[in-house]
Amino acid sequence: MPDDILICAADAIVDGGKGVRFALTAGGEDATGFVVRHGGKAFAYLNRCAHVPIELDWNEGDFFESSKLYLMCSTHGAIYVPETGQCAGGPCRGGRLRPIAVVERDQNIYWQPDDYVRPARA
Ligand code: FES
């Protein structure tokens, strides 16, 4: 797939462990995405809280809260379901993270740009 963009090696993310950030543009603005592993599968989202549009990870790559069941925004504690990005509690109520399509292939993880999330500026 010519549009796929390499994020990292598949074994760089483990269930409930640190996520990997990657640069992109969202609606034409510089932003980051992140990928985490949950239940053996990779899930990626735009790194932008549904409460206030800022990045979720205070410490780089820390997206899971302590139970490892939810993704959490470090600023005011919004929690999100890892599989869907749906808000599960906190000030993000009714909101959700913007998903980004990812594929795992040949021991690597790639993301796929769409109409909104596009490759980072060169
Ligand atoms: S900015 Fe994420 S919970 Fe407030």
Side-chain angles (χ1 to χ4, degrees):
M1 291 283 289
D3 282 352
D4 292 359
I5 300 173
L6 178 67
I7 304 173
C8 60
D11 64 4
I13 52 170
V14 298
D15 259 50
K18 282 207 178 227
V20 172
R21 298 160 50 102
F22 52 94
L24 47 71
T25 63
E29 290 182 21
D30 293 335
T32 67
F34 67 94
V35 63
V36 292
R37 192 176 295 286
H38 180 76
K41 274 195 72 180
F43 296 94
Y45 296 98
L46 183 62
N47 191 3
R48 184 180 286 173
C49 189
H51 177 220
V52 177
I54 56 177
E55 295 186 344
L56 283 80
D57 55 331
W58 181 260
N59 285 316
E60 183 163 326
D62 281 344
F63 294 99
F64 281 103
E65 42 71 64
S66 54
S67 77
K68 318 259 188 243
L69 295 177
Y70 296 99
L71 304 173
M72 190 175 78
C73 177
S74 57
T75 301
H76 310 111
I79 56 171
Y80 298 93
V81 178
E83 294 94 332
T84 61
Q86 203 69 46
C87 176
C92 55
R93 210 157 296 271
R96 60 177 300 186
L97 300 175
R98 171 54 158 83
I100 296 172
V102 281
V103 291
E104 286 198 60
R105 193 174 61 234
D106 305 330
Q107 264 105 71
N108 285 315
I109 303 177
Y110 301 82
W111 71 279
Q112 298 177 320
D114 58 35
D115 288 347
Y116 183 66
V117 287
R118 308 289 310 159
R121 275 182 252 269

